Amino acid sequence: MEMNQYLDLFIEESKEHLQNCNDLLLKLEQSPEDLFIVNEIFRSAHTLKGMSATMEFNDLAQLTHQMENVLDLIRNEKLAVSSQVLDILFLAADYLEEMVESIASGGNGQLNVETVVKQLQSLDGKEQLENVNAPETVQFGKLTYDDYEWTVLSQSKDTDYHPFEVTVQLHKDCLLKAVRVFMVFETLEKNGEIIKSHPQATALEEEQFDFEFTVTILSSNTKEEIEMELLKISEIDAVEIIAIDLSQASEEAAVAVEQVVLPTEKEVEVTQQQTSSFKQQSKHATKTIRVNIERLDILMNLFEELVIDRGRLLQISQDLDHQGLQETVEHMSRISGDLQNIILNMRMVPIDTVFNRFPKMVRQLAKDLHKSVNLEIIGAQTELDRTVIDEIGDPLVHLIRNAMDHGIEKPEERIAKGKSQQGTIILKAYHSGNHIFIEITDDGAGINKDNVCRKAISKGIIKEEEIASMEDQDIYQLIFSSGFSTAKEISDVSGRGVGLDVVKSTIESLGGYVTIQSNEGNGSTFSIQLPLTLSIISAMLVEVENEKYAIPLSSIIETAIIKKADIMKTHNQQVIDFRGKVVPLVSLQSIFEVNDESEEIPETLSVVIVRKGEKLAALIVSSFIGQQEIVLKSLGDYLTNVFAISGATILGDGQVALIIDCNELIK
Amino acid sequence: MENKQHTVQLIVFQLGDKEYGVPVADVLSIEKIEHITRVPGTEKYIKGVINLRGVILPIVDLRTRFNLPEHPYSEHTRIIITKKGEKEVGLIVDAANDVIDVATSQLEPPPEVVGTESFDYIKAVAKMNQQILILIDLAKVLNIEENVEV
């Protein structure tokens, strides 16, 4: 059978299910009692099994099958969720991931799963022993009650409601049994609250019983009253009502516990039904289709053409002054505005797709390092462009590993320092202006500046005399130098001196920065600033002579008009006094070599005050055009490293305007 | 290539009084000249960028590139959009006239006599009736440092 066409789909879906499993396993670790979670994991594992069996990846199917067995035991409360069980499940998930990866990279997904299968089977076997004293059910009269039901019944003692077991015998010739059942239930509901029925309500509805069924109710009415009511229904032969004596029952219960009462198949069904309704409430799985990014790019380019034509059409309709035309064009403008938002948002992906693999990584790493670490994730829904998402994963892995290995101390050490035994790493993402910030904060040892300096000198990264003039930030940045590693012992987690320099170069290649704040003894924060590439940015359009340029609004502080007399000179540099600060004056005209006839400086100058961090500069322009939302585009592969130009955008009239990179203009 | 007589399809364009050719396979489209946005700080022969259906495309003026005197753009001036590898570049030419089939046997290596610099960009010459057609080497014209198949 030709499977290739399904392979991509299989891989994608498997990854999703595995991710889901991992997330849920972590949740289960937090709340081991929660059977809903177990059910969800079961569901994912089951789907995975089915898919891999269809695709004939037998190892994958075998392993998921074993996993499913263990999960089934947990879900039927025959196996307690212990950390040992979780470890094996995590291990199994790791193996599954490895196999899916192997399939994705063209392999056959075969892997020796024997060890982990054995481990899973050993859990499977242990169940037999635990089974004996596992079920905590109470039997009374004809029915068996589980913990929950029993609690409800016991609580009724304090109220006016009394528990009864109602057994109804239908007439042998009864044709529409379900109807009678319905009528009985309706009558009982009028009298009180139905707790349980045997057989299950669904089975009763489907007439899967002979002629007798039992219902447990709580009612404030007397036995006789209920009996009277029920006998009014036709085709009922007999009604037997027993009041449940709770005190007696609880004595019996003690005896009953020793009896092994296996939950019947039907009860399992109920829990399943409960969970499925729970799932529907909690999570509406969003339907998605996968689209090649390239197609989205093409769509966006075409759409921009449409926007340009829209502008022209708008102009024409105004010139013609035809009302019908104008209304249509306006309507079209609104629609294309909405369309624009949708298209731009399509390329945005929540950063969760990167973050979601970290909890498991941290868990494993904490085990390997014998540290206790709690990972907090804030802002996982922050969206950024797909292209950035693809690149940011590895640097973040490095930084988290670094924080765990070098930042967070060993538990003993932490206690000695008066900190809580468990370290905390906070991973936080948020938008600010046209940037996204990702912060990795740990409450570990922080960075020892002297150690860093000494190390950097011994590695020949800096010279001793340079240190005096270095600010804290410069010293911290040293740890990003290649060949730098401060850990005393080399672990395989980090400390090989590769990694952090890669982090810095990757982030810089994306047009971002890494900064470090550290408080020795109290931890460090690594802050990554990244641009939201390929998204719309707000920009100020300016004219330099007859050329149009766009300056990103995020770097503009304000615009001003200055007088020629205000210009001062220091060291061959023209400066102005801007709100008490001396700000260098930068002539865009000379930097961009725009043709200029008049060498004269006019009496008044229009300037745009821009900033890079704390530093300011005033850019001289000929005139301001106005603020506009622009789409950032690259200049292509052919023109690279153009000085002070970060890209280009297409204006309403179809012309191209270059976007000024203020960071390069400020030294 | 199916032909027994191997041929290449060339787009013929004009610069001054000479005719040049570039393989059809390397050409994406031919456009009329439109507004070009100058990009400061680039090579002199890079005229700037244009917006080609939503894509920003760099433009090279072949006259400047071949050290020919500048010439005002006319209604015949065209931009030949070429693609070499991943790089897409537009070339400004005086006119784009024709598409012709040239037998590979008609192509000859460029004459050894080195007169001007521009000879570097010549891949081959073809004698067509009375005219000489110069086949340009795109990679060299665009200064793309890649291993181009010979």
Side-chain angles (χ1 to χ4, degrees):
Chain A
M1 192 171 161
E2 185 52 61
M3 288 291 185
N4 278 342
Q5 51 175 323
Y6 303 115
L7 194 61
D8 285 344
L9 195 67
F10 167 74
I11 291 165
E12 285 295 327
E13 285 194 3
S14 304
K15 281 183 181 166
E16 268 171 31
H17 282 294
L18 278 175
Q19 185 55 51
N20 198 22
C21 278
N22 280 332
D23 288 349
L24 290 165
L25 281 172
L26 284 166
K27 262 192 221 163
L28 188 66
E29 197 173 30
Q30 302 294 321
S31 46
E33 300 300 316
D34 199 337
L35 289 185
F36 289 136
I37 299 178
V38 179
N39 259 302
E40 295 261 321
I41 304 173
F42 186 86
R43 221 177 290 273
S44 274
H46 186 75
T47 315
L48 203 57
K49 181 178 94 173
M51 289 197 307
S52 43
T54 320
M55 299 294 291
E56 291 169 4
F57 295 118
N58 293 329
D59 286 352
L60 202 59
Q62 192 196 352
L63 186 52
T64 36
H65 178 70
Q66 294 300 337
M67 233 176 124
E68 210 182 280
N69 283 350
V70 172
L71 288 167
D72 198 39
L73 293 177
I74 299 174
R75 141 177 122 158
N76 291 336
E77 296 186 335
K78 290 184 198 167
L79 182 68
V81 181
S82 65
S83 80
Q84 186 209 356
V85 172
L86 277 170
D87 279 348
I88 295 174
L89 286 175
F90 270 118
L91 187 68
D94 279 344
Y95 271 93
L96 291 176
E97 237 167 277
E98 208 171 303
M99 283 189 267
V100 173
E101 279 304 319
S102 138
I103 294 165
S105 52
N108 51 13
Q110 278 174 3
L111 195 71
N112 190 354
V113 293
E114 231 168 74
T115 41
V116 68
V117 165
K118 275 212 183 99
Q119 279 176 299
L120 286 170
Q121 276 167 344
S122 73
L123 291 177
D124 207 338
K126 209 162 61 181
E127 160 271 322
Q128 308 294 342
L129 303 171
E130 290 182 5
N131 190 13
V132 181
N133 45 18
E136 292 175 21
T137 49
V138 179
Q139 192 163 29
F140 179 81
K142 292 189 172 97
L143 296 188
T144 311
Y145 303 98
D146 65 19
D147 255 4
Y148 169 76
E149 288 155 355
W150 191 249
T151 316
V152 175
L153 291 179
S154 326
Q155 277 167 354
S156 68
K157 251 194 314 199
D158 309 328
T159 63
D160 292 340
Y161 287 84
H162 307 287
F164 297 105
E165 230 177 68
V166 183
T167 306
V168 179
Q169 181 88 39
L170 292 185
H171 195 275
K172 293 256 178 327
D173 298 332
C174 175
L175 284 176
L176 297 166
K177 291 193 286 188
V179 176
R180 299 302 155 210
V181 169
F182 176 76
M183 291 171 80
V184 169
F185 270 65
E186 205 183 33
T187 313
L188 290 175
E189 265 165 11
K190 262 188 261 168
N191 281 285
E193 194 186 341
I194 297 172
I195 302 298
K196 188 184 175 73
S197 72
H198 180 85
Q200 287 298 322
T202 43
L204 289 174
E205 274 168 33
E206 285 159 16
E207 304 191 355
Q208 290 169 1
F209 66 104
D210 289 336
F211 292 98
E212 194 184 274
F213 61 92
T214 310
V215 183
T216 307
I217 63 162
L218 284 175
S219 173
S220 52
N221 296 347
T222 63
K223 206 160 99 171
E224 289 72 27
E225 280 171 334
I226 301 170
E227 197 173 338
M228 284 276 290
E229 291 265 328
L230 285 176
L231 285 172
K232 282 182 197 158
I233 304 167
S234 55
E235 290 188 313
I236 287 184
D237 272 2
V239 175
E240 183 196 357
I241 298 180
I242 318 164
I244 299 174
D245 186 343
L246 291 163
S247 55
Q248 179 210 342
S250 49
E251 278 167 28
E252 270 181 30
V255 186
V257 171
E258 272 166 46
Q259 277 179 285
V260 180
V261 185
L262 287 171
T264 61
E265 273 305 302
K266 296 214 167 86
E267 274 170 322
V268 176
E269 254 174 49
V270 177
T271 42
Q272 252 178 330
Q273 276 162 9
Q274 280 171 345
T275 50
S276 64
S277 64
F278 167 78
K279 194 189 178 189
Q280 273 161 12
Q281 284 168 2
S282 65
K283 198 167 163 189
H284 278 284
T286 44
K287 283 190 181 168
T288 53
I289 54 160
R290 289 165 220 286
V291 181
N292 193 326
I293 294 249
E294 231 167 78
R295 288 198 196 170
L296 288 183
D297 285 344
I298 297 169
L299 179 67
M300 184 132 112
N301 284 337
L302 287 174
F303 178 74
E304 278 153 22
E305 284 293 295
L306 197 67
V307 169
I308 291 158
D309 286 345
R310 176 186 74 186
R312 285 181 190 147
L313 213 51
L314 211 60
Q315 188 64 44
I316 294 167
S317 76
Q318 272 162 9
D319 293 347
L320 287 177
D321 200 20
H322 183 285
Q323 203 189 345
L325 180 64
Q326 275 181 6
E327 277 170 14
T328 315
V329 170
E330 261 172 45
H331 185 236
M332 199 191 86
S333 298
R334 273 200 298 277
I335 291 173
S336 62
D338 291 347
L339 203 56
Q340 178 175 344
N341 282 335
I342 292 170
I343 292 173
L344 284 169
N345 279 329
M346 277 200 296
R347 288 185 52 96
M348 302 291 273
V349 184
I351 200 165
D352 193 35
T353 52
V354 179
F355 281 4
N356 61 16
R357 62 170 134 144
F358 293 145
K360 199 178 151 205
M361 188 190 93
V362 167
R363 179 186 184 274
Q364 189 57 46
L365 218 51
K367 284 223 155 150
D368 294 350
L369 294 168
H370 307 292
K371 289 176 181 178
S372 167
V373 178
N374 173 33
L375 178 72
E376 259 180 61
I377 293 180
I378 302 171
Q381 289 314 307
T382 311
E383 288 191 329
L384 71 166
D385 196 84
R386 179 75 193 222
T387 46
V388 180
I389 290 266
D390 292 344
E391 299 289 327
I392 195 66
D394 286 345
L396 285 178
V397 167
H398 276 301
L399 286 177
I400 291 176
R401 288 178 161 211
N402 183 65
M404 292 198 58
D405 201 18
H406 303 310
I408 305 284
E409 311 93 328
K410 292 219 157 67
E412 326 59 277
E413 220 174 300
R414 288 185 65 89
I415 291 167
K417 283 183 180 176
K419 296 183 190 178
S420 65
Q421 184 195 337
Q422 191 179 48
T424 304
I425 293 179
I426 301 171
L427 190 59
K428 182 179 176 188
Y430 59 93
H431 280 286
S432 176
N434 282 318
H435 290 95
I436 175 163
F437 289 83
I438 303 170
E439 289 178 0
I440 296 148
T441 307
D442 66 73
D443 65 348
I447 299 171
N448 183 321
K449 273 181 277 177
D450 294 339
N451 272 354
V452 171
C453 290
R454 233 174 299 138
K455 190 85 177 184
I457 294 165
S458 73
K459 295 265 173 188
I461 297 164
I462 50 161
K463 292 196 182 72
E464 189 142 15
E465 53 271 24
E466 288 176 61
I467 289 173
S469 63
M470 286 175 87
E471 289 176 27
D472 285 2
Q473 188 57 236
D474 299 330
I475 293 173
Y476 294 148
Q477 291 287 336
L478 287 175
I479 66 172
F480 288 121
S481 320
S482 63
F484 188 93
S485 169
T486 50
K488 286 177 199 102
E489 45 193 291
I490 288 175
S491 64
D492 46 312
V493 178
S494 61
R496 280 158 300 174
V498 295
L500 283 189
D501 59 319
V502 177
V503 169
K504 191 175 183 183
S505 58
T506 309
I507 288 165
E508 283 181 351
S509 74
L510 292 170
Y513 309 96
V514 201
T515 52
I516 305 170
Q517 275 140 34
S518 183
N519 188 346
E520 207 192 326
N522 293 322
S524 332
T525 298
F526 287 73
S527 180
I528 302 171
Q529 181 188 349
L530 285 170
L532 296 165
T533 54
L534 269 165
S535 54
I536 281 190
I537 60 168
S538 286
M540 173 94 178
L541 289 183
V542 297
E543 254 180 333
V544 179
E545 293 303 303
N546 55 356
E547 294 183 358
K548 288 175 187 151
Y549 290 91
I551 305 173
L553 222 55
S554 56
S555 33
I556 297 180
I557 293 188
E558 64 175 90
T559 57
I561 304 231
I562 56 166
K563 292 198 189 85
K564 186 182 170 186
D566 293 338
I567 302 174
M568 297 172 285
K569 271 207 158 186
T570 55
H571 307 297
N572 294 329
Q573 170 73 58
Q574 290 185 322
V575 296
I576 54 164
D577 178 14
F578 172 72
R579 301 189 196 286
K581 268 188 166 179
V582 175
V583 176
L585 208 54
V586 178
S587 167
L588 288 183
Q589 196 179 325
S590 57
I591 282 181
F592 292 146
E593 301 153 334
V594 184
N595 290 337
D596 183 26
E597 282 93 48
S598 62
E599 285 294 310
E600 281 282 302
I601 299 176
E603 278 307 307
T604 56
L605 293 168
S606 305
V607 293
V608 180
I609 315 280
V610 294
R611 65 155 176 222
K612 175 197 183 185
E614 295 293 296
K615 293 169 190 158
L616 303 180
L619 310 179
I620 307 172
V621 300
S622 305
S623 63
F624 308 122
I625 300 172
Q627 184 190 333
Q628 201 178 316
E629 303 275 293
I630 58 166
V631 178
L632 194 88
K633 287 176 175 273
S634 90
L635 287 177
D637 289 339
Y638 188 57
L639 295 176
T640 48
N641 294 323
V642 181
F643 175 73
I645 300 293
S646 61
T649 187
I650 297 167
L651 300 177
D653 59 2
Q655 289 187 13
V656 180
L658 301 178
I659 300 168
I660 296 176
D661 183 355
C662 297
N663 291 336
E664 284 193 47
L665 289 176
I666 303 171
K667 277 147 222 144
Chain B
M1 285 291 160
E2 301 99 274
N3 272 346
K4 272 181 192 160
Q5 205 188 0
H6 293 295
T7 60
V8 274
Q9 267 202 318
L10 298 178
I11 289 194
V12 180
F13 61 88
Q14 212 154 8
L15 279 180
D17 52 3
K18 287 200 189 100
E19 283 199 326
Y20 295 79
V22 57
V24 169
D26 291 342
V27 175
L28 297 176
S29 64
I30 297 174
E31 306 288 330
K32 285 192 175 177
I33 195 113
E34 51 181 302
H35 181 89
I36 299 176
T37 303
R38 194 182 63 92
V39 179
T42 48
E43 298 282 347
K44 208 174 170 193
Y45 56 81
I46 293 173
K47 279 290 136 182
V49 288
I50 59 162
N51 160 28
L52 184 72
R53 290 179 282 278
V55 178
I56 309 270
L57 209 71
I59 301 299
V60 166
D61 191 328
L62 275 194
R63 272 182 168 270
T64 327
R65 185 76 182 104
F66 292 166
N67 294 324
L68 298 172
E70 290 218 18
H71 198 277
Y73 300 140
S74 70
E75 56 180 287
H76 298 295
T77 308
R78 293 288 182 275
I79 299 177
I80 301 179
I81 313 293
T82 60
K83 182 173 177 140
K84 197 79 197 169
E86 286 300 298
K87 298 181 163 79
E88 289 179 21
V89 179
L91 307 174
I92 301 178
V93 297
D94 288 355
N97 307 333
D98 209 353
V99 181
I100 55 160
D101 289 315
V102 177
T104 38
S105 58
Q106 277 181 284
L107 295 174
E108 288 171 23
E112 287 296 316
V113 200
V114 179
T116 59
E117 217 189 307
S118 61
F119 274 100
D120 289 359
Y121 321 125
I122 300 175
K123 205 176 199 173
V125 289
K127 277 187 222 126
M128 306 288 296
N129 306 326
Q130 302 297 310
Q131 279 270 26
I132 282 188
L133 186 72
I134 303 164
L135 191 64
I136 60 165
D137 185 336
L138 257 186
K140 283 199 176 141
V141 167
L142 301 178
N143 258 347
I144 300 173
E145 281 157 26
E146 273 174 341
N147 293 331
V148 186
E149 71 272 57
V150 185

